Each structure stands twice: as C-alpha cells, then as structure tokens.
Amino acid sequence: MENCSQTLYAVGTGRYLGKDIRCFDRRPGQSIYYDRQHDRARSSAGRLRKRGARREALGRSRGGLSTKIHMCVDASGRPLRFILTGGQCNDCTQALDLISGFRPSHVLADKGYDSDNILDAIASMKAVPVIPPRSNRKIRRTYDREIYKCRNIIERTFNKLKHWRRLSTRYDRKAIYFSAFIHLAAATLWL
C-alpha cells in the first residue's frame, strides 16, 4: 500500500496533479492537502488592478480620492492647456508638458515647480522663470517679486472654474467626461 502523502508531479512542469485523489486509507471525501492554498500567492501589484483608477485621473490625497488639474493660462487668465492627474501626483511632473510649444516672455509658477530641469527648459525657451526657490534649496536663486504678484491670475482662473459645481465636486466617473466638461467651462472664460 502506498502512502497517500506522496505527491504526483507531471514530468517537467513541477505542478501538483493529485489534488483531489482519494485514498482508501483515509475517510471518503477527504482530499490530499498541500502546504499552500494558491500555487503562486503574492501580494497584489497596483499596476495590474482591474479597476482603472489610475487611468481615470483619480488618486488618494489627504482628503481622500481627488483629481488634480494642472493648467497653463495666458496673461488674461484664459486657459490654454490642462492635464488631469490623480490627487497624489506631484506638480512638477507635468510642468514640461504644460509649457511645451509656447513662447512666453515670463513663466510664473509656485514653489512646487522649482526644479532644475524645469528651470533649464524655461531657459531654453528664452523665457524668464519667475518661480520662488524652495526652502531646502542649497543655492538660493533670485526671482522678480513684483512680477510674481501676477501669479494670482491662475488662482482667479481656478476660482472661476470652480463656480461650476460639477467641476468642483467631480461628478463624472470617467476622466474623458470630466475633461470634456473642463473644456466647456474653459470655453466660457474665452467668451
């Protein structure tokens, strides 16, 4: 009589074959157990999830699920370009995409956009960066404080867009619908 704890393997595969084999020295209905419940159990990888929260520009921030709108405006406060990301996304990751293709004389931004590669990209556009340095920067840069006072134009543009309740609370589940409504709200600022 063979021992039931002996495992059967397919040649060359290393996979267990006798999962539900019943032995006559055990009770009927009792199967052979092996040490792992799942063949290749591991923690879930966030990039392989079924639901597309990352594609839908949703992300966790301090307040919960949120969406960030990165926007580029002209001197009159009219939106030129915007990018949607999740709430946890850093501001400086989208800066190069926002300013590419424009030829401004000055680029105004807050401390979140203070990085060397953004400053180099602005300098290659032959524009003046008006970005205050971060507090942890070793070499302090200077910037024009009087021109920086005009940065409230972007804040006023966001305030005008947030008058649309659908935009400020993000009723849309899909990023494409949310983006379409931002286009519609931005078109009213151009009128």
Side-chain angles (χ1 to χ4, degrees), residues 39-58:
D39 188 20
R40 292 181 179 89
R42 59 182 145 313
S43 62
S44 65
R47 61 191 153 94
L48 298 176
R49 42 182 135 151
K50 253 178 141 174
R51 296 184 177 96
R54 191 175 301 163
R55 287 185 311 201
E56 300 306 333
L58 283 171

Side-chain angles (χ1 to χ4, degrees), residues 6 22 57-58 96 121 128 150:
Q6 184 180 12
R22 295 182 185 157
L58 283 171
L96 297 178
V128 178
C150 295

Side-chain angles (χ1 to χ4, degrees), residues 71-74 77-82 157 161 182 185-187 189-190:
M71 189 180 306
C72 181
V73 300
D74 62 359
R78 296 177 298 197
L80 299 174
R81 184 179 294 158
F82 67 89
T157 303
L161 288 176
I182 293 174
L189 297 179
W190 276 83

Side-chain angles (χ1 to χ4, degrees), residues 109-130:
D110 60 357
K111 289 182 182 183
Y113 293 96
D114 181 34
S115 70
D116 291 332
N117 60 351
I118 295 172
L119 295 172
D120 294 340
I122 293 171
S124 68
M125 295 168 48
K126 296 182 176 71
V128 178
V130 184

Side-chain angles (χ1 to χ4, degrees), residues 62-189:
R62 290 182 185 180
L65 282 176
S66 64
T67 300
K68 244 185 209 181
I69 304 171
H70 306 272
M71 189 180 306
C72 181
V73 300
D74 62 359
S76 301
R78 296 177 298 197
L80 299 174
R81 184 179 294 158
F82 67 89
I83 300 170
L84 296 176
T85 59
Q88 80 281 359
C89 186
N90 196 350
D91 291 337
C92 65
T93 59
Q94 305 301 318
L96 297 178
D97 294 334
L98 281 176
I99 63 174
S100 65
F102 295 119
R103 296 284 175 210
S105 61
H106 293 80
V107 176
L108 283 74
D110 60 357
K111 289 182 182 183
Y113 293 96
D114 181 34
S115 70
D116 291 332
N117 60 351
I118 295 172
L119 295 172
D120 294 340
I122 293 171
S124 68
M125 295 168 48
K126 296 182 176 71
V128 178
V130 184
I131 302 172
R134 290 185 182 169
S135 60
N136 61 354
R137 196 176 257 283
K138 295 190 181 199
I139 300 171
R140 302 299 276 177
R141 293 183 302 101
T142 59
Y143 66 100
D144 193 347
R145 291 178 187 263
E146 290 300 315
I147 296 176
Y148 186 71
K149 289 178 183 177
C150 295
R151 198 187 68 80
N152 69 10
I153 293 172
I154 186 83
E155 302 300 331
R156 288 185 288 176
T157 303
F158 274 112
N159 190 19
K160 289 175 188 173
L161 288 176
K162 286 186 178 182
H163 284 294
W164 298 84
R165 193 168 127 195
R166 181 176 173 178
L167 213 162
S168 61
T169 55
R170 183 162 178 181
Y171 288 147
D172 301 310
R173 292 182 67 182
K174 299 281 186 186
I176 190 165
Y177 301 140
F178 187 62
S179 174
F181 192 77
I182 293 174
H183 277 97
L184 180 66
T188 60
L189 297 179

